[in-house]
Amino acid sequence: MQIQPLTRLLRFISALVIIVLAVYGLYTLFRPQRSGSTSAQRVETVALGPISRGDILSQFRVITVERQYRIPVIGRSYKPLPDAATGGVIGMIAKDLLGNRDSVPGTTTNLVYDMVTSVTMGIDLAKLQEGDIVNGDRVTTLTLPKPEVIAVVHDSTQSKIFSKDSPKLPYLDNSAALLTELQRTGTLKHRAEAENDDALLAKAENEARRSLKGLLEQVHPGREVYILFKNSSKTTK
């Protein structure tokens, strides 16, 4: 009959010892370390090298994308009237009879030049300044130049010229002077179209972001690179 109380006492003492050891272990684990303690936690820091303009230009000069445009150009072909100053008597008579007309009546043909070009949009990294690169301890922010039209290349194979009044018939008088003038006008028109093409601008920005971010984070392990563009409030990691 005396064994049962003794067993209870031993169980109580064992439980008490376990609780004391658990409390001591938690205290040892979480107690503040004294400055002079040899068991203080060791903290190591790694200095990340900054990204410079030279790092970027050593790999990239211009980052480009392309898009083809097919935009018609309106023009006309005509036989010019003799100039009054240089055409002599005929020029003077023509001016008196026809006033300020520049063409012989009945000789004008209205034209449509179905012009095809490949437009290159790009980011010229030579315009990047050191002040456009901001290095923090682990984060670098680049402010890149805005994408711009770098080239408009005329495709003479796909481009066609025809009379506006008879589009099914080929226009045979494709003189060099006429084509040069139509192409000059068309180049300006295609360039303006590309400069206002939001999809092409976004494509150029995305390509620059993809190329630069991938390279710089590979060359500078541990750095996070954020890229934004001038005249834009949008920042993308």
Side-chain angles (χ1 to χ4, degrees):
M1 298 294 296
Q2 296 180 354
I3 297 177
Q4 188 174 1
L6 179 60
T7 301
R8 290 178 179 177
L9 178 61
L10 290 175
R11 289 178 178 175
F12 173 78
I13 293 173
S14 298
L16 183 62
V17 170
I18 292 173
I19 293 173
V20 170
L21 290 176
V23 170
Y24 179 78
L26 292 173
Y27 172 76
T28 303
L29 181 63
F30 292 104
R31 70 178 177 179
Q33 297 289 339
R34 292 176 295 176
S35 59
S37 174
T38 57
S39 62
Q41 184 179 1
R42 179 180 298 175
V43 178
E44 295 183 355
T45 59
V46 178
L48 300 180
I51 294 176
S52 68
R53 181 174 180 270
D55 291 338
I56 298 172
L57 293 183
S58 65
Q59 300 293 329
F60 294 98
R61 292 291 174 174
V62 182
I63 300 176
T64 63
V65 294
E66 286 189 357
R67 180 171 181 179
Q68 188 178 81
Y69 288 92
R70 180 185 294 272
I71 304 174
V73 181
I74 305 301
R76 66 185 183 124
S77 175
Y78 58 90
K79 184 175 181 179
L81 280 170
D83 184 80
T86 60
V89 176
I90 296 178
M92 295 176 64
I93 294 173
K95 181 173 179 59
D96 290 339
L97 292 176
L98 301 175
N100 293 324
R101 292 179 60 96
D102 60 354
S103 62
V104 176
T107 63
T108 297
T109 302
N110 294 317
L111 303 173
V112 176
Y113 186 45
D114 187 22
M115 184 171 175
V116 179
T117 62
S118 292
V119 177
T120 301
M121 174 78 72
I123 297 171
D124 185 359
L125 293 176
K127 296 181 178 180
L128 183 69
Q129 304 297 318
E130 289 290 355
D132 297 329
I133 307 172
V134 179
N135 287 294
D137 291 338
R138 292 184 174 274
V139 175
T140 297
T141 301
L142 302 180
T143 303
L144 300 181
K146 183 179 179 181
E148 59 184 302
V149 175
I150 295 175
V152 179
V153 180
H154 171 249
D155 189 330
S156 59
T157 303
Q158 297 190 60
S159 300
K160 306 295 180 183
I161 183 172
F162 54 88
S163 170
K164 188 176 181 181
D165 300 324
S166 304
K168 294 183 179 180
L169 299 177
Y171 184 73
L172 301 178
D173 186 19
N174 297 339
S175 67
L178 173 62
L179 287 175
T180 298
E181 184 60 32
L182 289 171
Q183 289 172 11
R184 182 184 296 113
T185 302
T187 297
L188 294 175
K189 189 173 183 178
H190 285 215
R191 176 181 290 272
E193 181 72 16
E195 289 174 344
N196 292 285
D197 189 335
D198 291 337
L200 185 60
L201 289 169
K203 185 178 178 182
E205 290 184 355
N206 290 335
E207 178 60 24
R209 186 178 295 114
R210 183 194 64 81
S211 300
L212 283 174
K213 179 177 172 61
L215 170 72
L216 295 176
E217 290 187 347
Q218 181 179 4
V219 175
H220 295 266
R223 277 205 169 273
E224 294 184 40
V225 177
Y226 289 81
I227 296 177
L228 57 84
F229 294 86
K230 292 185 177 179
N231 303 322
S232 174
S233 58
K234 182 179 181 181
T235 305
T236 302
K237 177 181 175 183

